[in-house]
Amino acid sequence: MIGQAVIKAAFVHQLALRPGEVAAVASRTPAVNDSLRGLVAPFETGVLASTQPGAAAFATVPTSALREFGQAVADLRREEVDSWGRAAADRDPLASSLGEAQHALHSAAVALRGLEVNTTVPRLGWMNLERLEMAPNGIERGELLATIPLAPLEETAVTQKEWSVQKKEFTSIVTDSLETVSETGVTDNTELSQSTTSEQEHANQFNITGTVSGGIPVISGSASSGFTSQGSQSQSATDSRKHATTLTQKASARAKQEHKVTITTTTETGTAQSTTRTLRNPSSTDPIRIDYFSLMRKWRVRLYRYGLRLTYDIVLPEPAASMRQAYVELEALKNQLGPFVFNVAHNDITADVRDEDPEPPVTHPPTQKEPHYLVLADRFGAQGVPHPPGDLPAQTYPVESGALPSGRAVTKTTLNLPAGYEIVDITIGGHITSFSGHSGQFTIVGSNLSWDPFGELTFPPGTVLKQDTDPTKNFMEGATGSPTLVLVWDQCSTQSVLLTARVRPTRLAVEQWQSDVWNALFNAAQNQYYAQQQDIAGRIAALETRLTGVDTLTLRREESDEVMKAVLRYLLGGRFPTMPPEVAAQFAALKVDVAHGTGFDSNTVTAGTALWTLVQQYEDVVRFVNQAIEWENVVSFLYSYFWDLPESWAFIREIQHPDPNRQAFLRAGSARVVLTVRKGWETRWVNFVENGVIDDPTQPPSPSPYWTIAQEIAAYDDRNYPGIPPANPGRTATRLEDAVFTTCPAALNPSSQPVTLPVASSDGFVVGLSVLIDSVRDTQDNQEAQVVTAIPDGNHLQVARLTKPHAGTAAAPIPVMQPGEKGELIAEWNEYTPTSGTDIAVTSNLSTIS
């Protein structure tokens, strides 16, 4: 199909071609010849907008060729989406991400559907402009509300009540939080019993034997004396000691119980007003009837037809697409509301540095990594997190044995371990010597130290003590508190022995630290979560207020503006309302604030800046579209699901708004828009939409009708919004925006005969309608209205007469204006609306009441 240049250009813009797609499609589609390829290639992303051809270049391109090209682009993108289900090596090289590929496929599908709809059905048509006028026309009796019959002399009371009720609800939420700690203790009693037996025996024996012999002559004799002394002393002592070390292991559990009470108080206050009337039948023979009727307001309705307009019928996809963004944000915020969940496990709290941990804050060296528990603390904003019980330096304990006897002795050494730590292993070092002439022996009870004799004993460095019952296990491993070692010495004279114990945190200490850190993280995360929830709730409330707290007229104007934006985007393709990429890049280089619309309030970008060259080339087109279309008469029809993807139906169906018209607009998948072309702009409009040019270059340029500011204001104020009365009800159906203006540079004198007026242009004037000549100047009222009797040519008007003089000159011509068509009354009827009033009749004839 030849023509429809604007539709075809809009289709190519809507495809959103990506770099390399035109060449890829041309290699697989014979219908894409060199001519079409050169026409669409500049529309690929990244190409300067200034190199893109205008809509006129597409006027002679067959619609079938564009449709085949678009289908090939859609097939290419569908293959790209399908390639994401295969291995990375088999994917399309044009694919960047699955989301972008799906969005590109969606753009191609929408563009193809739009081309099919907008080219198969004629866009141009005709439409009669009509307007309803409603004026109050009195009050009439309406529907029968109640009937009260009265017998002769009967009397009754009629009570009428009026009341208003105000309901106020107050909700109070009381939250009680009870935190308890349950502690369980397990006592491990380790007994060490030792028995020492000491026996001492002392024996003393003394023998003396003496013999004396001698003689004298008279006496001779001998004497023998003997003394034996023997003493025996024996002492035996047994010393038995019992040493008990008690270790209590405690495990605590924290329980937090919350009790929430919600108190709702509902208060209803109201006022009631009762009016009692006494009705009495004064007749003693005849019954009567009291009838109550509603009062209805009567309206006189007139339908005027005031013009015939050329129309341009288009279908726009998703007219409220930009308005839905706020509801997307609202849904995202609501999805963040929910119960508090803390997924950090106790065993996930470690002092290890993990590969997935993020880099530390800038206060740390860039190469330093954070322990994982500090990463969690930073994540949840926890303060005062306890440090883990780390490894301590080895604990040294010199052996205190005092003076050693030459015999056997037993001593004790107590190892005072730091709280929360246990022994890993014990190493022994030093030197022991025995008494001279004796072999010494030494051991530690329970260890694997041998009881071998020695003269001198030196322990090799790093000698680790093992258990005597299991040499594979370290001596005293796992001991905590203050364990006591028993050392046995025999024939040891000197010693310099040093015990060294390596310690580590106990499992209970680590678990207690993990529990303390977990509690700190939990409390911080909970506070952070509740603060976030409060912030989210506030943002939701503010967003809902912004969406719903808008007056009805503003809602209608916003919808009208969205329709206008969609129409301009449809007619001008992707060049409106967006800006050429190279211009946007230059604005970014100049640091213009384009995100908030305040960047142009400066001297950085001025009206004469060369950057406006690309923008100004569309200036006439934008102005033409805004003036050539009667936006005050645009008619639109909303279609709920047509053109919307089924995947989005669930979201769109849930959009709620208190205004039913706005809700329907937000849910619309597409809109049929009937554009009415302003009177006098028909030829230029057809040239624009069919050939892509405003004026036919093969014909001499026609004088462009200049629309005054007054006409634009009048057209804006004459817009009709659903559910809102017009701002300027046309009681005569005359429209200022349809008025025709010209000027007369000649002086005119009063005349009772027809007068021919030289004017700048007679285009648009109609024979038989009145024109307003001249204006009120100073204190002279020279303005008058006369009927146009003839239009001799393009620069003269003939009026029936002149009653006042008019001093027109070439320097100061007088204005001549013909108001818009008054309109033709084609129908008239009455309508009724209810009121709050009532009427009473006594024994009325019900058969005469409609």
Side-chain angles (χ1 to χ4, degrees), residues 530-850:
Y530 287 147
Q532 291 175 350
Q533 292 287 290
Q534 186 176 4
D535 177 67
I536 292 172
R539 292 166 60 188
I540 290 175
L543 186 56
E544 288 180 339
T545 301
R546 180 165 63 86
L547 292 175
T548 60
V550 184
D551 61 277
T552 306
L553 180 59
T554 301
L555 293 176
R556 300 292 86 80
R557 287 179 174 175
E558 288 178 350
E559 294 158 10
S560 177
D561 291 342
E562 288 298 310
V563 171
M564 179 186 292
K565 182 180 72 175
V567 169
L568 292 174
R569 180 177 293 160
Y570 170 85
L571 295 175
L572 303 178
R575 295 167 291 182
F576 185 88
T578 57
M579 191 171 288
E582 53 268 31
V583 178
Q586 289 293 327
F587 286 158
L590 293 173
K591 298 182 179 180
V592 174
D593 184 8
V594 295
H596 303 90
T598 61
F600 298 100
D601 188 19
S602 65
N603 295 327
T604 305
V605 181
T606 61
T609 303
L611 295 177
W612 289 114
T613 305
L614 292 174
V615 180
Q616 289 174 344
Q617 63 179 321
Y618 305 116
E619 181 180 348
D620 292 338
V621 177
V622 173
R623 183 170 57 247
F624 168 76
V625 172
N626 276 275
Q627 293 189 357
I629 298 300
E630 289 185 323
W631 296 103
E632 66 275 13
N633 291 324
V634 171
V635 181
S636 59
F637 304 91
L638 302 175
Y639 303 130
S640 297
Y641 294 104
F642 178 70
W643 227 322
D644 257 332
L645 291 177
E647 290 80 3
S648 63
W649 288 356
F651 167 73
I652 295 173
R653 188 167 49 242
E654 296 299 325
I655 295 179
Q656 301 288 336
H657 197 281
D659 185 90
N661 291 326
R662 170 55 65 88
Q663 180 170 298
F665 189 76
L666 291 169
R667 293 183 176 185
S670 62
R672 177 189 177 188
V673 181
V674 181
L675 305 175
T676 56
V677 181
R678 198 168 302 281
K679 187 177 180 180
W681 299 66
E682 294 85 357
T683 302
R684 307 179 77 207
W685 180 259
V686 173
N687 282 335
F688 172 68
V689 296
E690 293 296 325
N691 302 320
V693 293
I694 298 178
D695 292 307
D696 189 354
T698 62
Q699 302 293 331
S702 59
S704 176
Y706 184 77
W707 217 29
T708 65
I709 294 178
Q711 288 174 305
E712 288 208 46
I713 294 175
Y716 184 83
D717 289 339
D718 277 348
R719 294 187 183 184
N720 294 319
Y721 302 101
I724 299 177
N728 300 306
R731 299 186 180 280
T732 59
T734 301
R735 293 153 40 93
L736 176 62
E737 58 269 28
D738 291 338
V740 184
F741 294 88
T742 188
T743 57
C744 176
L748 305 175
N749 296 316
S751 173
S752 59
Q753 302 297 323
V755 179
T756 300
L757 284 63
V759 293
S761 174
S762 61
D763 290 341
F765 287 86
V766 180
V767 175
L769 299 182
S770 296
V771 292
L772 195 62
I773 305 172
D774 213 336
S775 61
V776 179
R777 290 174 291 180
D778 300 330
T779 58
Q780 299 180 358
D781 184 6
N782 295 328
Q783 196 175 58
E784 62 176 302
Q786 298 295 336
V787 177
V788 177
T789 57
I791 303 177
D793 52 42
N795 296 102
H796 290 86
L797 292 175
Q798 187 182 81
V799 295
R801 67 180 62 84
L802 289 177
T803 59
K804 297 179 180 181
H806 304 280
T809 63
I814 60 174
V816 179
M817 183 191 74
Q818 187 174 68
E821 297 181 45
K822 192 172 183 178
E824 177 185 0
L825 181 63
I826 60 175
E828 186 177 7
W829 65 91
N830 293 325
E831 289 187 1
Y832 297 90
T833 57
T835 67
S836 59
T838 57
D839 190 18
I840 299 178
V842 178
T843 314
S844 61
N845 185 2
L846 298 180
S847 62
T848 61
I849 300 175
S850 57

Side-chain angles (χ1 to χ4, degrees), residues 241-261:
R241 295 182 181 180
K242 182 177 182 181
H243 180 72
T245 299
T246 302
L247 174 64
T248 302
Q249 300 178 354
K250 297 182 179 180
S252 63
R254 177 175 293 180
K256 187 173 183 181
Q257 181 180 5
E258 289 188 355
H259 182 64
K260 181 175 290 187
V261 179

Side-chain angles (χ1 to χ4, degrees), residues 359-380:
E359 289 294 330
V362 294
T363 55
H364 295 275
T367 58
Q368 181 179 350
K369 291 286 189 175
E370 288 279 0
H372 188 60
Y373 81 97
L374 291 181
V375 174
L376 295 176
D378 291 340
R379 181 184 306 170
F380 299 112

Side-chain angles (χ1 to χ4, degrees), residues 236-427:
S236 178
T238 301
D239 185 10
S240 178
R241 295 182 181 180
K242 182 177 182 181
H243 180 72
T245 299
T246 302
L247 174 64
T248 302
Q249 300 178 354
K250 297 182 179 180
S252 63
R254 177 175 293 180
K256 187 173 183 181
Q257 181 180 5
E258 289 188 355
H259 182 64
K260 181 175 290 187
V261 179
T262 301
I263 303 175
T264 302
T265 303
T266 302
T267 304
E268 291 190 7
T269 58
T271 58
Q273 182 178 0
S274 299
T275 302
T276 302
R277 298 175 180 176
T278 301
L279 303 179
R280 183 176 180 275
N281 184 0
S283 175
S284 60
T285 58
D286 299 326
I288 64 174
R289 187 183 69 248
I290 309 297
D291 298 327
Y292 286 82
F293 299 91
S294 64
L295 291 180
M296 309 292 290
R297 182 179 296 279
K298 185 178 181 181
W299 297 84
R300 174 60 56 89
V301 184
R302 293 181 175 89
L303 175 62
Y304 287 92
R305 179 172 295 169
Y306 60 91
L308 183 66
R309 295 292 186 271
L310 177 72
T311 61
Y312 190 71
D313 199 337
I314 60 176
V315 178
L316 303 174
E318 299 179 341
S322 60
M323 289 184 172
R324 292 176 185 169
Q325 185 60 40
Y327 289 88
V328 175
E329 180 183 355
L330 182 63
E331 183 184 43
L333 290 174
K334 289 183 177 180
N335 290 336
Q336 297 179 32
L337 297 177
F340 173 68
V341 178
F342 190 65
N343 294 323
V344 177
H346 283 76
N347 56 7
D348 195 36
I349 299 174
T350 65
D352 301 334
V353 177
R354 300 186 178 182
D355 293 338
E356 69 269 16
D357 289 345
E359 289 294 330
V362 294
T363 55
H364 295 275
T367 58
Q368 181 179 350
K369 291 286 189 175
E370 288 279 0
H372 188 60
Y373 81 97
L374 291 181
V375 174
L376 295 176
D378 291 340
R379 181 184 306 170
F380 299 112
Q383 302 292 331
V385 177
H387 296 289
D391 294 334
L392 295 179
Q395 308 293 305
T396 58
Y397 303 95
V399 174
E400 301 290 343
S401 58
L404 295 175
S406 60
R408 184 177 297 179
V410 176
T411 62
K412 300 176 182 178
T413 296
T414 301
L415 308 181
N416 295 316
L417 301 176
Y421 286 83
E422 63 183 9
I423 294 177
V424 178
D425 57 32
I426 299 176
T427 59

